[in-house]
Amino acid sequence: MKKYNLNKITGIDYLIPVIFTLLLTTVFLLPQLVSKVGISEPDTIFHFGRFYDTAQQIKNHNFSYFQMNYGMGTNGRIVNAFYGPFFAYFLGGLVLISKSWFQFEIMLVYLLFLIGGIGMYRLSLKLKMSRITSLLVTTIFLLTGYICYWARSTSFQAWGAALMPYILMQGLSLYNDRIKHFNWISLGITVAVLAQVHMLGTFFAILSLIPFFIYGLINTKDKKKMWIDAFKAVGLCLCLTANVWGAYLTLYPSNLISAPLGFSPSSTAVHLLWFGEITTWVKIQEVVLVLFGVQTVYVLLNFRQEKLNTFLTVEGLVFLFLSSDFFPWAYLENHFSFVNNYFQFPNRLTIVAFPLLFSGIGLTISHIHKNSGFKMGVLANCLLAFVIIFVFRADLRENMRKVNDSQGNIALVQQMRGRNLNNYLENNYPNNPDYLPLQKKMLAWNVSGLTEKYLGKDSDNDYKKEVLPGGKLQLSWNSDNTEKRSLPLVMYKQSELIVNGKKVTPKVNEIGLPEVSSKRGRNQAILSFNTPILFKILFGLTMMSWAAVIIMGVKYYCNRIKKRKV
């Protein structure tokens, strides 16, 4: 069996995962592609609204990093600054080239599968698997868990799942530090990219890297250098993500920020004793559980000979246990209420468990091929392919069911097919309470109800909204007489409101909507956000850090090309 390592990947090894993943994604999306029916869920409305905002900022060259003036109801609330800010602008660019939300939705599935597929394939090659085994491992990785679930739910955890193989490649470098010292620049950049996409995924990534670091530190010959370079990686990551943690430092100390919706972790943990039709959300298919069981038995019998396989499998099983109902989530939710709002779904930990376990399964197949001969290796690959057939069939069936359910809502189908992107957003307002400024502590579900009441699609029928230069939002309305009026605008401590030419400090309601005095006739209010100087410095640090990294990267690859020509 031919072995590969990351430094000897040929051109075809870059091309194989791209072609294969494109084909796999096309077949996976056949129900949507044939029917041209988009799937809209609560998370779809939430995320598409924030991407539309960045798209319009780019289109109109009118940028507002904090205050959202185009999407999410055009009311000035803050979301993107906390939630994958740079990635939101990247996806906003994709919105601009999309002719409909349906087209954008399909485009995102292809992008997600490509990122995850290329990452898992390269991770498999780094683990010295054959190309066939690497493709099989990549396939089952894409068809289980959050990545395939994205097409039916728009759960953003899928992007953390797709990037996890790149994190695990860094973990392998930490693990093998005794053989070859890890690259702290690569580690810092990889974690920073994930932080610019999904913060909770970054937290899981750091958790997954800790065991790799500990093992590498114990076995390395130069512990001091490993510690120093680890701190360098942390420092680089902090510079590349200063805009992310800087936003939290800007708003959280001075505002009471609403938590996301709370869910019971004990009810959203993976039910390992309940077999599911598909391996997503809270259930795992029987064939996949059997596969994990066989892998566990194999490792128990061969742990002395296969240390890396054992390490990956054990860590994967630990994360699977933490994601499951075997872990005492009921106790935690009863004693630590923040778990319900900020962690929400223990099944999210499968974004770490699945790639670890599938990597271990790939190593097992490789070792069987090496130690038991070609025929046994082929048999092992065929068994994995057999499992994949069951998984793929279940995914297609679930996609067809979801499409059939969505076809019943003709108005929504037309909104997603239409060229007027704003039509879908105007008719489907997100009631998520995330990041709204509160005046007192409230349950997130209560905040969601107030959001629908004060900021829903019918709340601003009497108002005309216009985005002014400098990222300001103007609200105009007519009053028959003098009155007090609550405006559909969201104010934070850093927000500034000018009503009829005068700066005011209004009383705000439970979720930050200002109450102002309205005169008879035409009225006008202008909302803006005063960005603190500290954040401007941190944002500048982020931009300069990324510019430096890009320049160094281009220079590095240019030098490599020159050396190859010589």
Side-chain angles (χ1 to χ4, degrees), residues 557-566:
Y557 282 106
C558 287
N559 290 336
R560 284 189 62 179
I561 292 172
K562 288 180 181 179
K563 288 180 180 179
R564 285 179 182 177
K565 289 181 178 179
V566 174

Side-chain angles (χ1 to χ4, degrees), residues 129-264:
M129 299 180 203
S130 69
R131 288 182 179 131
I132 295 296
T133 303
S134 296
L135 285 176
L136 290 173
V137 169
T138 298
T139 303
I140 196 168
F141 167 71
L142 293 174
L143 296 177
T144 54
Y146 271 92
I147 293 180
C148 66
Y149 187 56
W150 165 268
R152 301 185 291 269
S153 68
T154 324
S155 176
F156 218 73
Q157 194 69 45
W159 295 93
L163 289 168
M164 198 55 62
Y166 300 90
I167 295 293
L168 296 183
M169 277 191 270
Q170 299 304 318
L172 286 177
S173 296
L174 293 170
Y175 178 94
N176 291 316
D177 191 78
R178 176 178 57 86
I179 301 170
K180 182 182 179 182
H181 187 60
F182 78 96
N183 187 324
W184 63 270
I185 296 177
S186 180
L187 175 60
I189 292 173
T190 304
V191 177
V193 168
L194 181 52
Q196 294 289 356
V197 174
H198 194 252
M199 277 299 292
L200 188 59
T202 308
F203 174 69
F204 293 156
I206 293 170
L207 287 181
S208 72
L209 288 173
I210 290 174
F212 288 99
F213 177 77
I214 293 173
Y215 184 91
L217 187 65
I218 292 172
N219 292 281
T220 189
K221 298 175 183 178
D222 195 341
K223 292 179 172 55
K224 182 179 179 181
K225 185 178 181 182
M226 191 169 182
W227 272 113
I228 291 173
D229 282 358
F231 281 114
K232 287 181 181 178
V234 171
L236 175 61
C237 183
L238 288 175
C239 290
L240 294 171
T241 59
N243 63 310
V244 179
W245 53 265
Y248 283 87
L249 288 179
T250 298
L251 285 156
Y252 271 77
S254 55
N255 296 272
L256 179 60
I257 301 295
S258 174
L261 291 173
F263 294 88
S264 168

